[in-house]
Amino acid sequence: KPVPVQRRWKGEVSALRAQLQRFKRKSEDVQEEFDSYRQKANAALTSNASQVEAIQQKERLAEQLGEQLHSERAELAKARAERDRAFDDVAEARRRQQEANRETRELERTLDRRCREWEDKCESEVAACRTTLQAEKASVERAGREKERALQKELDLRRSMKDALEEEVETLRARLASRPAAAPAAVAE
């Protein structure tokens, strides 16, 4: 698992700061040593001309220390440049992180808005379906009641026709029953 950029840069920045402090201390120590040698060299020149050779050695040592100081300063400048680059990289990483967070929030808002729109659309479609279903149900019930009334009328009509036919049959039977006695008499004539 890669180390997060912010933690990595934080560690590098801390290391660069520590290195910068070490270089400063070293530079100050070298400068103090250089100043010390210079004072000693000047004292030796003024006090004793016979110590010229020792002074020349100390001057060479002072030059070496000066060169060390110069190289330490160059390294310090390089460390500062690296530190500045690290700060710039951290700032860029933060900017990218903030931009990614902003895009994430925008996507979440868009998703929420679309979910609400979809839910509203579903609710309106369900309401429309319910309304249509209730209208169709009412229409089917009305048609069923009308058909039931029509069938009931037809049933009543057929019953009344049946009753009329039964009465007519009874009448005809009664006539027929009264006729057989009259019919043999008519046949005998």
Side-chain angles (χ1 to χ4, degrees):
K1 182 176 178 183
V3 177
V5 174
Q6 291 177 345
R7 192 181 314 152
R8 187 180 76 205
W9 285 116
K10 195 178 217 181
E12 288 184 17
V13 166
S14 297
L16 287 173
R17 282 185 182 154
Q19 188 179 10
L20 185 63
Q21 290 298 322
R22 283 194 310 272
F23 285 143
K24 276 186 179 179
R25 271 188 254 120
K26 227 181 200 181
S27 173
E28 290 170 1
D29 292 343
V30 168
Q31 184 66 41
E32 287 175 12
E33 194 175 332
F34 177 79
D35 291 340
S36 169
Y37 279 113
R38 184 185 290 169
Q39 287 175 358
K40 288 178 184 178
N42 286 337
L45 278 175
T46 56
S47 69
N48 193 357
S50 65
Q51 296 178 351
V52 170
E53 191 175 312
I55 291 173
Q56 287 175 349
Q57 286 178 351
K58 288 185 180 183
E59 283 179 352
R60 282 193 295 269
L61 183 61
E63 286 176 12
Q64 288 174 353
L65 290 175
E67 289 173 3
Q68 279 183 339
L69 178 64
H70 181 67
S71 67
E72 294 291 330
R73 284 186 178 163
E75 286 182 26
L76 181 62
K78 183 179 175 183
R80 284 181 179 157
E82 288 178 3
R83 182 197 65 190
D84 292 342
R85 254 195 323 273
F87 282 145
D88 291 343
D89 290 344
V90 167
E92 177 64 20
R94 282 183 183 155
R95 186 194 62 76
R96 283 193 305 251
Q97 180 68 33
Q98 287 172 349
E99 188 173 320
N101 289 342
R102 182 184 52 79
E103 289 176 1
T104 301
R105 285 191 301 271
E106 285 179 18
L107 287 173
E108 287 174 351
R109 281 194 295 266
T110 302
L111 182 61
D112 288 343
R113 187 183 71 243
R114 287 186 181 168
C115 284
R116 281 193 304 273
E117 288 173 357
W118 182 79
E119 287 172 354
D120 292 345
K121 183 178 178 182
C122 285
E123 287 176 5
S124 65
E125 297 225 356
V126 165
C129 286
R130 282 185 179 153
T131 304
T132 304
L133 183 63
Q134 288 174 350
E136 287 178 7
K137 181 181 173 185
S139 173
V140 167
E141 287 175 351
R142 194 172 35 254
R145 284 191 300 270
E146 289 174 7
K147 189 171 184 178
E148 184 180 353
R149 272 188 245 124
L151 288 173
Q152 189 64 40
K153 282 182 183 178
E154 187 176 332
L155 183 63
D156 291 343
L157 179 66
R158 291 194 184 225
R159 281 186 185 157
S160 64
M161 285 175 58
K162 178 184 167 203
D163 290 343
L165 286 174
E166 284 179 356
E167 284 178 22
E168 190 176 329
V169 166
E170 284 299 318
T171 308
L172 288 174
R173 277 191 188 150
R175 279 166 98 194
L176 231 144
S178 63
R179 236 177 145 184
V187 174
E189 289 177 12

